[in-house]
Amino acid sequence: MDAINKIYSSVSQTVSTLSAVFLGNPLTKDYDIAEHIGSAGTEFVWKIYTGSKRSTKEPASIFVFDKKQLEPFTKDEREEICENIRRGVVQLTKIRHPQVLTVQHAMEESRDTIAFATEPVVASLANLLGNTTNVSNTGLLSDYKLSEFDTKFGIFELVKGIQFLHDEAQLVHRHLCTENIIVNRQGVWKLFGFGYCWSKRAPGTPVANHYFKSRLLGNPASKWTAPELILENSCNDSTDIYSLGILIYTIYSRDNIPSPDASSDLYGYKQSVTKLSNQGPPKLTAIPETLRSEVKKMLSVNPQARPTLQSLIQISYFCDNYVQCLDNLETLFPKDNLEKSEFYKRLAHIIGDFPHRVRLYRILPLLVKEFVNCSMIPFVLTNILTITASCTRAEYMQHISSHLRPVMLLDEPVQIMLIFFQNLEVLLKVCPSEEIRVSVLPLVYKALESKAQQIQELCLSIIPSVVVHLDKSTIKSGLVPRIKTLCSGTNLVSVRVKCLLCLGQLATKIDKWVMIDDIVSYLPSVNCREPAVIMAIVGVYKVSFSTDGLGIPKDVLACKVLPHLFPMTIVNGLSLQQFNAIIALIKEFTRKIEEEQGDKLGSKTPMSSSASSSSLQDKQSTPQQSELGFGSSDFYGDFMQSPTTATSKAAPQPVQQRPISSPMQLKPLQPQTTLNWNVPPVATTAKENSIKYNLFTQQQNSSTMQNRTKDTPLALPPPAIAMPMMSPAPMSSNMWTNSNGSSSLPTKKLELTSTTNNNPYGQLQPLIPTPSQAGKMSAKSSTSPMLSKEDIMEFLQK
């Protein structure tokens, strides 16, 4: 809150001060006046304020002469001083030249002030050299430092400006000094203070110099004036050359030449200028060597001994490459395109050596003028982007952005887009995120739709650096679809590969679901017969799979990715290293599916095939299985063997008899096979069950009961038992037939068969048809108890 109060009080104080200064001046109707930044004119009688035109918001500087400064003088003196002030402003308004201060609004006078508006300026040269008289805010001046080039080119401009006054305007300034040199925003040194200028007349015409005898406010000081003007009342072109010599000495030495005031000590003044002409100023060594001898000639008492302005421009001091380059640039616009293109090519090699302020404020405005000529844009654009590289973000937005936006929308010539992409990193450094979205992103879109391969590849290579400044929705809806369209539509392998690599590089900038839905799901549709394209796709898969925060779900891997990767392994042209890379990625994806699906099914460590096989064999090798004679290797057993094969096997060892408590103790086995062994039970009626029971009773009565153990209970079979057919062991063939094909079951095992061999199949009759029944269907002999393969298959079909 205290900070806000301080700002409010500061603004209020400034407004009240300005209101008091400009009270009643008509200029305030058209201009908004802000801050006091400098002072100018002899004895700094002018205050300089920043301002802007109300109607157009065009920046300007406001020069104000406060009449309160006239209070020490008499009425006649006040009027004389004011008349000199008015004459200087009127003369300034009439002259139009690049080295003369430009007036935007003519002089306005009120009872308290005289004011006029000019182009935006920084301050007077005297302020920049350290003299801050009549300046309230000196902080702005302390940041402005004159470089060696600023000084050299500034003096060069002054020489050209004075030459214009003498040759074209037919005027002699007569009051050149640091206070009457104004430096504008572009750094151009401008002539000011024309209140005592003199029209060129015939030689020998006397000049009134009464102001040297009675010093008034704003009168020229004798230390800046040529001796002949004071001593002989004569004036010619060399008068300004003498003042220019004093000015150059003051700039380099930062000191005034010790000289008495002519208005108070005319004799001392004469002795001083004579000594200065013979020996030179005391700090002459501060001046550069190539200019030192010329300055000494310029300070000569004899006007004929001074050099001319034309000879000054041609000295080696001004024949500098940078001075000549900048001077030619200011006059280049009207010339033909061929000459301008050659100049801009040479400028590109040395523009980086200019001071930053010169590039930004002097060179840039001259370059952007060429944007009206499309054929010249590629030549000036390179130089403008070089200037942009040294700008701050604020400088770019203020001075460059508005000029480049229209150029970014141009399609022709094609070199424009190429230059932009070659220097896009420069733009990304100085552009805010909003500016990138507004100006740079449309340029990227246009490049992706371009027909030029070089522009497409260059654009794809810089997109990863652009997306850092974009939001995720812009990437998803604007950038990714255009890259995919280019990838699908191009016939160039290099462009397609760069598209895929670009999509892979977007992985860290987008959401997981965008990567999977918009990129990973798109990859199977890409034409991938070239090894380079295949490896680019593999790279995108790997980046999507391994990047933190992304990953590919197992269902996508199983349904889309792996079916896409497997055919790639057999594409012709792959090297061994590329093939191994694809196989390694497939194994990595398969391992992920195995781990995740295994965890889901409850197995932390998936069982190997060998372990599963051994476990299955262990489960099948049960005591019941061995006792019943079923093997584990052939689920079809001897039913699928021929009689000759069965007889060729070794005779089985007798099975040790054991008591049977009930037929239900024989539990059916469940063999691990893919065949369906669940035979539907045979439907029987009550009458059939009774007949079977009586048959079983007769068999029991006719058997030899003395061999049966007395305490062994007889198990009665159920009416019908539907048991699955098991795979018999090799020895089970002899349980059904002997070598002659007849039944020879051991009596000590079950003793359930009849001695008369009327029903050799016993209680298995409901399951397996007798040979006689089978004979009716298959036309086989009923005397043979052996079942053929056809019998079994026919039974299974039922």
Side-chain angles (χ1 to χ4, degrees), residues 94-115:
K94 293 178 180 179
I95 303 174
R96 296 291 182 179
H97 190 265
Q99 270 60 58
V100 177
L101 185 64
T102 303
V103 177
Q104 290 185 358
H105 192 282
M107 178 183 61
E108 299 284 357
E109 186 173 359
S110 66
R111 186 186 65 176
D112 297 321
T113 59
I114 298 175

Side-chain angles (χ1 to χ4, degrees), residues 500-700:
L500 294 170
L501 295 179
C502 184
L503 291 174
Q505 290 173 325
L506 297 180
T508 58
K509 311 297 189 307
I510 58 179
D511 295 324
K512 177 179 179 179
W513 62 273
V514 176
M515 189 69 187
I516 295 173
D517 295 345
D518 292 350
I519 296 180
V520 173
S521 299
Y522 162 74
L523 294 179
S525 65
V526 179
N527 184 6
C528 58
R529 304 307 300 174
E530 299 83 5
V533 178
I534 291 175
M535 297 315 297
I537 293 175
V538 170
V540 176
Y541 279 139
K542 188 170 183 62
V543 169
S544 304
F545 181 75
S546 60
T547 301
D548 294 338
L550 294 181
I552 306 177
K554 66 178 185 298
D555 54 339
V556 178
L557 290 176
C559 300
K560 295 182 179 181
V561 178
L562 288 176
H564 185 211
L565 286 176
F566 274 113
M568 294 182 183
T569 59
I570 59 174
V571 172
N572 294 330
L574 288 177
S575 65
L576 179 60
Q577 184 179 4
Q578 293 170 339
F579 172 79
N580 291 334
I582 301 174
I583 293 297
L585 189 63
I586 291 175
K587 291 180 179 179
E588 189 174 358
F589 289 167
T590 307
R591 190 181 306 113
K592 175 181 174 65
I593 297 174
E594 183 181 10
E595 292 174 357
E596 292 189 2
Q597 191 66 10
D599 292 344
K600 180 179 179 181
L601 298 177
S603 174
K604 297 298 181 181
T605 56
M607 189 184 305
S608 63
S609 58
S610 60
S612 301
S613 177
S614 62
S615 175
L616 180 61
Q617 293 178 4
D618 293 342
K619 291 180 181 179
Q620 291 178 348
S621 301
T622 59
Q624 292 179 354
Q625 187 179 14
S626 60
E627 290 181 3
L628 292 176
F630 294 136
S632 61
S633 60
D634 184 7
F635 295 124
Y636 290 95
D638 290 339
F639 292 103
M640 306 303 292
Q641 297 178 2
S642 62
T644 58
T645 305
T647 57
S648 64
K649 294 182 180 179
Q653 297 295 330
V655 180
Q656 185 178 359
Q657 183 182 3
R658 64 166 184 164
I660 301 177
S661 60
S662 172
M664 297 300 293
Q665 291 179 351
L666 299 177
K667 298 180 180 180
L669 298 178
Q670 301 295 333
Q672 301 295 324
T673 177
T674 58
L675 296 176
N676 183 11
W677 293 93
N678 295 323
V679 182
V682 180
T684 58
T685 63
K687 182 177 180 180
E688 290 174 342
N689 290 337
S690 176
I691 294 172
K692 293 172 183 177
Y693 179 77
N694 294 334
L695 178 62
F696 178 78
T697 304
Q698 294 174 3
Q699 292 174 354
Q700 183 181 14

Side-chain angles (χ1 to χ4, degrees), residues 149 153 322-330 358 362-363:
F149 181 82
F153 197 74
Y322 302 101
V323 173
Q324 295 299 321
C325 177
L326 188 56
D327 181 50
N328 293 333
L329 181 62
E330 293 180 342
V358 174
R362 301 293 299 272
I363 299 178

Side-chain angles (χ1 to χ4, degrees), residues 636 638-641 677 725 768-769 786-798:
Y636 290 95
D638 290 339
F639 292 103
M640 306 303 292
Q641 297 178 2
W677 293 93
M725 297 174 61
I768 306 175
M786 180 63 188
L787 296 178
S788 67
K789 294 181 181 179
E790 290 81 3
D791 295 333
I792 297 173
M793 296 306 296
E794 184 176 3
F795 172 76
L796 291 177
Q797 292 176 359
K798 289 184 178 181

